[in-house]
Amino acid sequence: MTRTRIESLLASFPKLIPANTQHTSVETADVRYVYQPLEDLYILLITNKASNILQDIDTLHLFARVVSDLCRSADEREISKNAFELLGAFDEIVSMGYRESVNLMQVRSVLEMESHEEKIQEIIARNKEAEAKEELKRRAKQLEMQRREQQRRAAGSGGGSSYLGGGTSGYSPVPRFDAPEAPAPVTRVASTPSTRAPAFKGSGMKLGGKKTKQAELIDALGGDVLASSIASADVSAPPTPSSASQPSAVQKPSGRGSLPEIVTESVHISIKEQISLSLLRDGGVESMELKGDMNLHISDAALAHLRIALSSPSTDFGGNSLQFKQHPNVAKFAPGQARVVALKDPSRAFPVGQSLAVLKWRYAGTDESNVPLSINCWPSPSNDGTCEVSIEYELENENVTLYDVVISIPLPAGSYPTVSSHTGEWSLDPGSHSLAWSVARVSAEDDTRSGSMIFTVGGDDASAFFPVQVSFIGQGSLAGVGVASIGKIGGGEDPAFSVDAVVSTEEYLVASSATITSVPLSKRLDLSSLRHLVHRDVARAKALRARGEALLNLGSRQEPQEALNTGVAYTTTIGVGTPPTTYDLLIDTGSSNTWIGAKKEYVVTSSSVKTADSVATGVNYDGILGIGPVGLTKGTLHPSVNDTVPTVTDTAFEQGIIASNQIGVYFEPYSNTSEQIGALSYGGVDDSKFTGNITFAPLTTTQPASAYWGVNQTITYGSEEILKESAGIVDTGSTLVLIATDAFKAYQSATGAVLDSNTGLLSITPAQFDNLKSLFFTIAGKNFELTPNAQLWPRVLNSAIGGTADALYLIVSDIGTNSGSGLDFINGYTFLERYYTVYDTENQQVGFATTAHTFSTTN
């Protein structure tokens, strides 16, 4: 397209904009203008009329987000100032007239010109430098030991020998002061580049051209060497007298910020903690994780036999959720006794001259009482288009003192704050267009424990001031881990020791309140399907297995798996189109495409758009709301068989409709009293639907279960393990609990059940039910129990499946293959009706929690 043509199209655009309408597109005979206002300007996308308008609108929105990200305001001067970056970003989004499959984060990454390979090389270089430093320390220690050995020999050889050990030289011994064997002070000598001789190139004679290995190590460190190692290399020099009372070197590692310096002793303990925390704007904790470790460094071999008594924490941080893990050679804590770190074998000694991780701990939970620094951000919009923001902090954990606290509050685009009162200092961060509030020190012992700031800024959107991000470096331990005393094994004077306890933030933020969209679920019974319940469940399992395996060798169009078992199903009613037409859709975690139109014909509305690709749908059923992983949509487009289709959840998250890419699913056991006995929540979890905490399990990597919401689990009947840890899936499209054939046989033998020919289910007598034990599903280290009643098929539905009205049927059935196949179990409705489940795309995990119906006796 020529420049003249482009200028002509742009000149025509202002005349075509309709007045007093909310349309975002306008067409001429040849082209379509898709536009969006940006303050006094328009961002405009010109396409041909055959283009997909929904994709064009999505592209336009991405353009607008790029402009907002790169420019502080949408005025002409700011746009011109960032024209080069904007053009580069636009070029990443649209190439040769076609939209690229990129998002805002990918565009940012390209503009920052970050190279994965370059980062890898930098990491390799840093590792090599660290290895060289460690080698140099080892050599320095070796040389020091050689020097001491020569001193001992010289001292013990008598008056006829010289200092160098040559008895015939005639030199008398050099008198010396023999100090106790304490590590010599280490002094860092940094090279001065300006004093280096220039490097000459050529092949002239070089004296001393052959380098020793030590010299090569020093060169690798760029001249930053340990002076003590150089001095100790000259073993002919007499030792410098030292005193046992001489203080050790002052340690100040990089990354300490303003933390006070630590004077290290011969026994030094380093405690490091890192916290990740996400608070909600309206209160509560969305997620919290604390990781900590204790490292022991002993520099004197005479002190290597010791035990460390930990101090009693002043607060009960984490309760039972705070988990400790010792080094394999360190004894575990004795229940009900003081915590002691000591070797299992008292005769052995801790390593000398190296740092050893002796203890680790971890906490994960949502208990608000464990939050170390509370943040309250309160935006109050005014009628004049401005917003007054009050923000305050308070130190809740008295075990730590915080330094270099920075609280960053995002600001509306193009607006600048007027600060009326504040604690500490504040500044503007132009890179992120945020207000950075800094407090040098926060302590529970003085008035810095709490502080506040009030400012006014243009804008009336309260959500624009979130997420608030916090960073700090702290002294102490949030978990209350400390050292009370250190004693020598076998008695003797307790050695002096030093402790360096540091806590830092990995992520610490206050997020806007989670936007959760909940829809009710209704239970639907299909009597014709119930007659063949087991057959349909097993057929679905076979189809899911085949689909998962097909994704590994994708090269042609694939059909999404049909909802083969719809005997007992949950549906939700949604409206599609403008005006909306309602459809009943089946909830299915075993598929990811959402489609409608077979049983109830799709009604074309004003918002309907015909896509270029055709989408494969099921054969026998329609009306499915697919909430499986997006990878399941591969092969469902034609001809683009390798492309994926964004799921409903992915799209809602990308458009900011929901706060997180999560789905919470709640089912209730069968009831005759209500049809609406379930709920589906988009964007997070519904706290009213579960009890206790949610246990999250990472998605399995075992194929083909990894194609779905797959996890690893162990199944135990009573105390008998019937299925070792293996991979399977959680599936709302299956009714029963299906387990591997060998596990099923073990379950049948343990229960004494017999196979009922009419229903295909296992059947037990009342006497056997009285002795029936619980079935335990161990997922991510936690047991999830199916009580004897939960293992029964609802007796009110016995006749619907072709059974006897008062018979006792079990909901565990045979999946059709032995364990080790990669899909050894399916936890279907009968399991999910007892537990709340969370499907977390963002973190690639599945969550499980108990409900009010976990232990009910409804069957």
Side-chain angles (χ1 to χ4, degrees):
M1 186 179 294
T2 65
R3 177 175 178 175
T4 305
R5 172 63 172 160
I6 294 175
E7 290 177 345
S8 174
L9 291 172
L10 292 175
S12 302
F13 172 66
K15 306 172 186 176
L16 298 172
I17 301 177
N20 301 323
T21 67
Q22 297 184 0
H23 292 294
T24 57
S25 66
V26 62
E27 295 182 359
T28 66
D30 302 317
V31 299
R32 177 190 296 131
Y33 296 89
V34 185
Y35 60 92
Q36 177 179 334
L38 286 180
E39 297 184 8
D40 296 332
L41 303 176
Y42 284 95
I43 184 165
L44 174 66
L45 183 66
I46 304 176
T47 68
N48 59 43
K49 297 176 67 174
S51 179
N52 185 334
I53 188 170
L54 291 182
Q55 189 178 60
D56 293 340
I57 292 174
D58 182 63
T59 303
L60 187 71
H61 288 167
L62 183 55
F63 278 141
R65 292 176 65 190
V66 165
V67 173
S68 300
D69 189 63
L70 294 177
C71 302
R72 296 167 63 179
S73 62
D75 57 68
E76 188 172 353
R77 178 181 298 179
E78 185 71 12
I79 297 293
S80 300
K81 177 182 176 182
N82 296 279
F84 182 80
E85 290 79 7
L86 288 171
L87 287 174
F90 290 171
D91 186 58
E92 294 299 324
I93 299 172
V94 175
S95 177
M96 303 298 290
Y98 292 93
R99 163 73 187 272
E100 296 288 339
S101 180
V102 295
N103 55 35
L104 181 59
M105 295 302 296
Q106 292 170 315
V107 173
R108 283 179 183 167
S109 178
V110 171
L111 293 181
E112 291 169 0
M113 302 181 69
E114 290 187 350
S115 169
H116 178 70
E117 290 76 11
E118 183 179 353
K119 287 183 178 180
I120 294 297
Q121 291 303 318
E122 289 176 354
I123 293 173
I124 293 174
R126 287 198 298 269
N127 289 341
K128 287 183 177 179
E129 183 177 342
E131 291 173 1
K133 288 183 178 180
E134 289 299 322
E135 176 65 16
L136 186 56
K137 291 179 182 178
R138 188 189 67 80
R139 291 293 303 275
K141 179 181 176 183
Q142 184 180 10
L143 291 170
E144 175 68 13
M145 294 176 65
Q146 291 175 357
R147 182 182 67 81
R148 292 181 179 180
E149 182 64 25
Q150 281 201 339
Q151 291 176 7
R152 292 191 188 97
R153 290 178 180 176
S157 60
S161 63
S162 72
Y163 173 72
L164 294 177
T168 60
S169 65
Y171 288 99
S172 61
V174 179
R176 67 177 58 82
F177 172 79
D178 290 327
E181 291 187 9
V186 178
T187 306
R188 296 294 254 180
V189 180
S191 61
T192 306
S194 60
T195 61
R196 289 184 178 178
F200 292 97
K201 296 182 179 179
S203 57
M205 181 182 294
K206 290 187 286 186
L207 298 178
K210 186 176 180 180
K211 294 184 178 180
T212 64
K213 188 171 183 181
Q214 184 179 5
E216 292 174 351
L217 289 170
I218 294 173
D219 288 346
L221 294 175
D224 184 15
V225 300
L226 293 171
S228 61
S229 68
I230 297 176
S232 62
D234 187 4
V235 296
S236 63
T240 303
S242 60
S243 171
S245 62
Q246 185 173 357
S248 302
V250 173
Q251 178 189 15
K252 188 173 182 180
S254 60
R256 291 181 62 88
S258 301
L259 284 182
E261 299 174 348
I262 298 296
V263 177
T264 61
E265 299 288 347
S266 298
V267 178
H268 180 68
I269 295 174
S270 175
I271 297 174
K272 294 182 180 179
E273 290 181 337
Q274 193 170 54
I275 185 172
S276 297
L277 175 66
S278 178
L279 299 169
L280 293 175
R281 165 187 169 186
D282 296 332
V285 178
E286 186 174 27
S287 63
M288 179 178 179
E289 182 181 42
L290 177 72
K291 295 180 180 179
D293 59 68
M294 174 185 288
N295 286 265
L296 172 65
H297 187 279
I298 302 173
S299 57
D300 188 348
L303 305 175
H305 291 80
L306 52 77
R307 61 200 302 271
I308 304 169
L310 302 186
S311 56
S312 300
S314 58
T315 58
D316 185 20
F317 181 95
N320 293 330
S321 297
L322 181 63
Q323 303 293 325
F324 288 92
K325 185 177 183 181
Q326 287 86 353
H327 185 281
N329 293 330
V330 173
K332 296 186 179 299
F333 296 149
Q337 299 183 17
R339 294 169 178 169
V340 175
V341 176
L343 292 174
K344 293 179 180 178
D345 184 356
S347 64
R348 296 183 60 183
F350 283 103
V352 178
Q354 69 182 64
S355 183
L356 176 68
V358 294
L359 180 65
K360 294 185 178 182
W361 56 94
R362 177 179 181 270
Y363 166 79
T366 57
D367 188 347
E368 198 168 1
S369 65
N370 295 320
V371 174
L373 183 70
S374 61
I375 306 292
N376 184 14
C377 183
W378 197 277
S380 301
S382 304
N383 294 330
D384 59 359
T386 63
C387 190
E388 183 182 77
V389 181
S390 300
I391 183 167
E392 60 183 4
Y393 73 82
E394 183 171 1
L395 182 62
E396 307 286 355
N397 192 312
E398 298 182 355
N399 294 327
V400 295
T401 299
L402 306 183
Y403 295 84
D404 304 334
V405 179
V406 179
I407 303 173
S408 298
I409 307 103
L411 299 174
S415 298
Y416 297 92
T418 300
V419 179
S420 55
S421 67
H422 64 91
T423 305
E425 304 294 333
W426 67 274
S427 62
L428 290 177
D429 183 355
S432 59
H433 192 56
S434 60
L435 187 153
W437 178 22
S438 304
V439 183
R441 179 177 176 273
V442 177
S443 172
E445 299 177 354
D446 52 41
D447 57 2
T448 63
R449 177 169 189 161
S450 61
S452 62
M453 168 183 277
I454 300 176
F455 64 90
T456 304
V457 68
D460 56 3
D461 182 7
S463 64
F465 302 98
F466 297 92
V468 176
Q469 300 193 38
V470 183
S471 65
F472 56 77
I473 188 82
Q475 186 176 49
S477 166
L478 294 176
V481 177
V483 179
S485 64
I486 295 181
K488 295 179 65 175
I489 302 293
E493 184 179 356
D494 291 347
F497 64 92
S498 55
V499 178
D500 185 19
V502 178
V503 58
S504 60
T505 57
E506 181 178 12
E507 181 185 62
Y508 202 112
L509 55 85
V510 181
S512 181
S513 297
T515 304
I516 301 176
T517 302
S518 294
V519 293
L521 300 178
S522 301
K523 177 170 282 189
R524 185 185 69 184
L525 297 179
D526 186 340
L527 297 181
S528 62
S529 295
L530 281 174
R531 290 283 180 174
H532 309 284
L533 181 65
V534 176
H535 171 75
R536 289 180 177 272
D537 252 9
V538 173
R540 177 178 172 84
K542 183 177 180 181
L544 292 174
R545 185 190 305 276
R547 171 66 173 145
E549 293 171 347
L551 286 173
L552 303 178
N553 302 301
L554 188 62
S556 60
R557 185 182 184 186
Q558 303 288 324
E559 298 289 334
Q561 298 310 314
E562 303 173 39
L564 292 169
N565 187 8
T566 55
V568 181
Y570 286 88
T571 62
T572 185
T573 301
I574 66 168
V576 178
T578 307
T581 303
T582 59
Y583 301 90
D584 291 331
L585 303 186
L586 194 70
I587 307 301
D588 187 15
T589 56
S591 59
S592 301
N593 294 90
T594 296
W595 51 275
I596 55 179
K599 288 190 175 180
K600 183 175 183 179
E601 186 176 352
Y602 174 68
V603 178
V604 178
T605 68
S606 60
S607 61
S608 301
V609 177
K610 184 175 179 59
T611 61
D613 279 309
S614 61
V615 181
T617 60
V619 179
N620 297 327
Y621 301 90
D622 71 2
I624 288 183
L625 178 59
I627 57 175
V630 70
L632 290 174
T633 65
K634 279 189 177 182
T636 61
L637 286 175
H638 182 74
S640 308
V641 294
N642 289 311
D643 290 346
T644 59
V645 182
T647 65
V648 171
T649 317
D650 291 341
T651 303
F653 177 67
E654 181 68 24
Q655 294 179 356
I657 299 173
I658 56 177
S660 60
N661 201 344
Q662 287 184 341
I663 297 177
V665 177
Y666 167 74
F667 299 137
E668 291 183 13
Y670 180 77
S671 170
N672 286 322
T673 59
S674 174
E675 286 189 357
Q676 292 192 352
I677 52 175
L680 185 72
S681 59
Y682 282 95
V685 300
D686 187 343
D687 294 337
S688 66
K689 301 300 183 185
F690 64 91
T691 59
N693 295 322
I694 299 176
T695 299
F696 282 98
L699 295 185
T700 184
T701 57
T702 304
Q703 299 169 342
S706 58
Y708 303 93
W709 292 112
V711 295
N712 295 328
Q713 78 176 12
T714 303
I715 302 179
T716 305
Y717 175 75
S719 60
E720 177 187 352
E721 184 179 84
I722 62 174
L723 180 64
K724 294 183 178 180
E725 184 174 79
S726 57
I729 66 173
V730 182
D731 182 34
T732 62
S734 298
T735 300
L736 304 171
V737 173
L738 300 180
I739 60 177
T741 301
D742 48 336
F744 174 75
K745 291 179 179 178
Y747 176 75
Q748 182 179 3
S749 174
T751 59
V754 296
L755 199 63
D756 180 72
S757 58
N758 293 326
T759 62
L761 295 174
L762 291 177
S763 174
I764 58 175
T765 65
Q768 290 172 325
F769 175 71
D770 292 339
N771 295 318
L772 194 65
K773 300 176 183 179
S774 290
L775 198 61
F776 296 96
F777 299 74
T778 306
I779 306 172
K782 184 175 178 61
N783 287 334
F784 295 90
E785 180 182 1
L786 281 188
T787 63
N789 186 270
Q791 297 172 56
L792 290 182
W793 175 258
R795 277 170 275 188
V796 294
L797 295 177
N798 279 0
S799 59
I801 61 174
T804 305
D806 57 350
L808 301 174
Y809 301 110
L810 300 177
I811 49 87
V812 178
S813 195
D814 186 358
I815 201 171
T817 55
N818 281 322
S819 58
S821 68
L823 182 58
D824 293 344
F825 62 84
I826 296 180
N827 294 350
Y829 279 128
T830 46
F831 174 88
L832 300 177
E833 287 171 337
R834 300 286 178 160
Y835 290 97
Y836 186 82
T837 50
V838 183
Y839 305 90
D840 187 347
T841 299
E842 189 172 356
N843 298 303
Q844 293 292 285
Q845 58 187 4
V846 182
F848 301 85
T850 57
T851 73
H853 304 284
T854 299
F855 303 106
S856 63
T857 56
T858 57
N859 294 334

